[in-house]
Amino acid sequence: MSKKIHVSTTVNGESVEFLCEARQSLLEVLRENLSLTGAKEGCNNGNCGACTVMLNGVPVNSCIVLAVEVEGAAIETVEGLACHGHLHPIQKCFLEGAALQCGVCTPGFLVTAKALLDKNPNPSEHDIRFNLANNLCRCTGYDKIVKAVQAAAAELQTR
Amino acid sequence: MKAFDYAAPTSVADALKLMEPPHTAALSGGTDLINRMKDYVSSPERVVYLKDIDALESIESSSKGVSIGAGATLAALLEHGEIKKTYPSLWKAAYEVATPQIRNMATVGGNLLQRPRCWYYRAGNGLLALKDGKSLVREGDNRFHAIFMTDGDALFVNPSSLAVPLIALGAKATILGPKGERTVPVAELYRVPKGSQERELTVQHGEILTKVVVPATHAKNASYEARHKQAHDWPLALASVALEMDGQKVGSARVVLGAVAPVPLRSEAAEKAIEGKALNHESATAAGDAAVKDAKPLSMNAYKVQLTKVAVKRALLAAVGDRYWEEG
């Protein structure tokens, strides 16, 4: 066991401190040290996007970020989407549009879709597909996911 | 992944002190290094994290050109207006690298200095993938390997998409090491390793790539990448061109090929074929044909010869605004 390093960061708006080994990924620490199991380990090499979280406002694959790199950073995970027990419109539209089957990829899609809509409230279908290119789903065939993001964009614009 | 010591310096000078050879690795975006460490292809004893060094991140344009910090992310490069306007070949190549998540982390320096993606190398068989005197590449599945310079043992392809337009644009790289600073053309960051102990990169252990400077240009420039999928894929063949026009004709040309040889490959044959000619489908096709004159594909990748021809043709036409393949 190598020496542990102290890291101070912000997760979903709350200050968090943890101890980790330099070789631990951010995903590993989120899941195992901080019990935030929303982000999933799929490929564990940056291809599938199931581990997507926001790091300082942009989506990244947390499996290929070292936890020690997030000292002083702001992280948002899928757990931060719902507010006071109310699902975020993106989550609601995924549910209503049946944009998931097994659900393993869903947290990554939700976080990436949120990042997209934060930046571009009215994305075209091409924008959605382009920005979700790092999120793989082997169940749905993507169409329902794209439609759910479009529905969420429409709902967010009426607010 | 093996355990390692971790350091996060905030200045280049401190980083250099920490980069003691030989078992130290520089970590920037991490999209290559972390995966190599997970797969035990690379097991450094110390990792020096460079992203806390603000000086490495800046992108600055001036009348002389644009200076791109090695730590600038590909996402930052894409958002830089001057890059898109003056260096569309570089912008397009960066746009097609990997995915949004990866471009948010991956850096210009890391793209240039990532290690080859040859699956035999990544499976721990070494850069040349020789076993019992035989080439695993030559005798195995080589569909994504080199089609040029295949007489030797280095059959991987250079994985950097950015190196290709940067070489076409005449960019130079600045490297800082214990002996001071040196500046080299981007093409000289690479070499064909002659033995299994030699690396394909000329940056030495202990050195840090700090920036790339692309000279100001009026050259019409473009890149074209042939790939399987629109989403998330590697180029099968990539061509970048930079053309100094002489009226309606091409005065001087730079044509560089990627993903087809162990180094980014300048094609003087294609340059000669297009220089002095008006740029149209006929002359662009002839330049594409000239580009593959010396190709010697392996057992499974002759298809890349045709893709390379087309990449050169389309990059040339794209440079003058003809993107005929996108119509209808």
Side-chain angles (χ1 to χ4, degrees):
Chain A
M1 179 80 65
S2 65
K3 201 180 83 183
K4 293 213 170 183
I5 298 172
H6 177 265
V7 177
S8 303
T9 186
T10 305
V11 180
N12 298 328
E14 286 182 22
S15 296
V16 169
E17 293 180 37
F18 58 82
L19 288 173
C20 69
E21 281 189 62
R23 63 178 162 175
Q24 282 185 284
S25 70
L26 174 59
L27 175 65
E28 212 176 320
V29 166
L30 286 172
R31 291 180 59 85
E32 290 172 21
N33 299 34
L34 305 178
S35 301
L36 293 168
T37 55
K40 298 288 184 279
E41 182 183 305
C43 66
N44 205 23
N45 63 20
N47 272 286
C48 79
C51 67
T52 303
V53 302
M54 302 263 263
L55 175 59
N56 294 330
V58 296
V60 301
N61 295 311
S62 63
C63 72
I64 50 171
V65 176
L66 297 179
V68 286
E69 291 181 46
V70 305
E71 171 67 37
I75 295 156
E76 292 164 67
T77 69
V78 71
E79 286 88 349
L81 281 187
C83 190
H84 305 300
H86 295 285
L87 292 182
H88 187 280
I90 300 173
Q91 291 171 306
K92 216 160 69 63
C93 291
F94 265 64
L95 270 180
E96 286 169 359
L100 65 149
Q101 288 178 32
C102 85
V104 171
C105 69
T106 310
F109 270 102
L110 293 171
V111 172
T112 313
K114 163 104 176 11
L116 167 64
L117 297 183
D118 283 352
K119 207 171 149 186
N120 179 359
N122 190 21
S124 65
E125 182 180 340
H126 174 268
D127 294 335
I128 294 170
R129 289 185 184 272
F130 182 84
N131 279 280
L132 296 180
N134 200 160
N135 293 85
L136 302 186
C137 172
R138 300 291 82 175
C139 302
T140 63
Y142 299 104
D143 265 0
K144 288 183 171 182
I145 292 173
V146 173
K147 289 195 175 99
V149 177
Q150 286 171 322
E155 185 172 333
L156 282 163
Q157 289 205 320
T158 62
R159 295 187 161 197
Chain B
M1 188 186 303
K2 284 194 181 158
F4 52 84
D5 288 331
Y6 176 80
T10 53
S11 74
V12 180
D14 286 348
L16 267 186
K17 281 183 214 151
L18 289 160
M19 287 288 296
E20 278 169 37
H23 299 297
T24 302
L27 169 65
S28 196
T31 57
D32 174 25
L33 177 66
I34 293 175
N35 282 329
R36 271 189 281 121
M37 286 163 52
K38 284 184 184 188
D39 292 341
Y40 300 95
V41 174
S42 302
S43 295
E45 288 167 9
R46 180 188 287 159
V47 168
V48 181
Y49 181 61
L50 300 180
K51 273 198 169 169
D52 284 346
I53 305 173
D54 294 342
L56 292 179
E57 280 180 24
S58 64
I59 303 178
E60 288 164 17
S61 54
S62 71
S63 58
K64 288 183 184 159
V66 61
S67 169
I68 305 166
T73 62
L74 300 190
L77 188 72
L78 291 173
E79 280 172 17
H80 199 277
E82 184 62 23
I83 305 275
K84 192 169 185 181
K85 185 170 141 252
T86 309
Y87 310 101
S89 56
L90 178 60
W91 190 89
K92 181 79 165 137
Y95 179 79
E96 294 191 320
V97 171
T99 66
Q101 277 94 319
I102 290 174
R103 290 191 295 270
N104 283 333
M105 289 300 290
T107 61
V108 171
N111 183 277
L112 289 169
L113 301 182
Q114 66 185 308
R115 306 303 304 276
R117 302 283 164 168
C118 163
W119 44 35
Y120 295 104
Y121 166 64
R122 297 272 163 170
N125 295 293
L127 199 51
L128 302 183
L130 297 171
K131 204 170 187 182
D132 305 328
K134 286 183 180 170
S135 165
L136 294 173
V137 179
R138 208 177 282 286
E139 304 201 357
D141 191 332
N142 49 42
R143 73 185 91 169
F144 300 130
H145 286 80
I147 57 168
F148 289 96
M149 309 169 89
T150 51
D151 289 335
D153 287 327
L155 300 172
F156 58 85
V157 295
N158 179 284
S160 175
S161 291
L162 301 192
V164 181
L166 286 171
I167 294 168
L169 293 163
K172 290 190 170 160
T174 300
I175 297 153
L176 203 57
K179 291 179 198 155
E181 193 176 272
R182 60 192 180 93
T183 297
V184 299
V186 168
E188 290 177 22
L189 291 173
Y190 310 105
R191 65 180 172 194
V192 180
K194 292 194 182 64
S196 53
Q197 297 308 308
E198 223 170 66
R199 296 205 322 161
E200 79 290 4
L201 301 171
T202 58
V203 173
Q204 300 294 307
H205 287 293
E207 290 186 320
I208 297 172
L209 172 66
T210 57
K211 65 179 177 185
V212 175
V213 177
V214 196
T217 185
H218 295 292
K220 292 188 181 299
N221 61 95
S223 294
Y224 185 87
E225 181 174 320
R227 52 202 273 169
H228 274 307
K229 295 180 290 179
Q230 282 187 34
H232 201 182
D233 209 348
W234 291 90
L236 297 165
L238 166 64
S240 291
V241 303
L243 311 170
E244 298 282 355
M245 301 303 284
D246 180 7
Q248 290 303 304
K249 291 183 176 169
V250 176
S252 67
R254 279 276 191 120
V255 178
V256 184
L257 311 176
V260 290
V263 291
L265 196 64
R266 195 170 155 197
S267 177
E268 288 178 20
E271 292 170 3
K272 252 185 226 157
I274 201 70
E275 281 171 350
K277 306 261 169 52
L279 195 43
N280 52 40
H281 283 240
E282 194 188 344
S283 62
T285 303
D289 290 345
V292 299
K293 198 170 47 84
D294 294 332
K296 279 192 192 167
L298 301 168
S299 60
M300 294 175 71
N301 65 7
Y303 73 99
K304 287 179 66 165
V305 175
Q306 176 63 20
L307 293 181
T308 306
K309 278 189 201 178
V310 174
V312 169
K313 174 186 174 183
R314 291 185 179 183
L316 285 166
L317 290 169
V320 291
D322 181 353
R323 306 181 70 83
Y324 68 92
W325 60 93
E326 288 178 354
E327 290 159 15

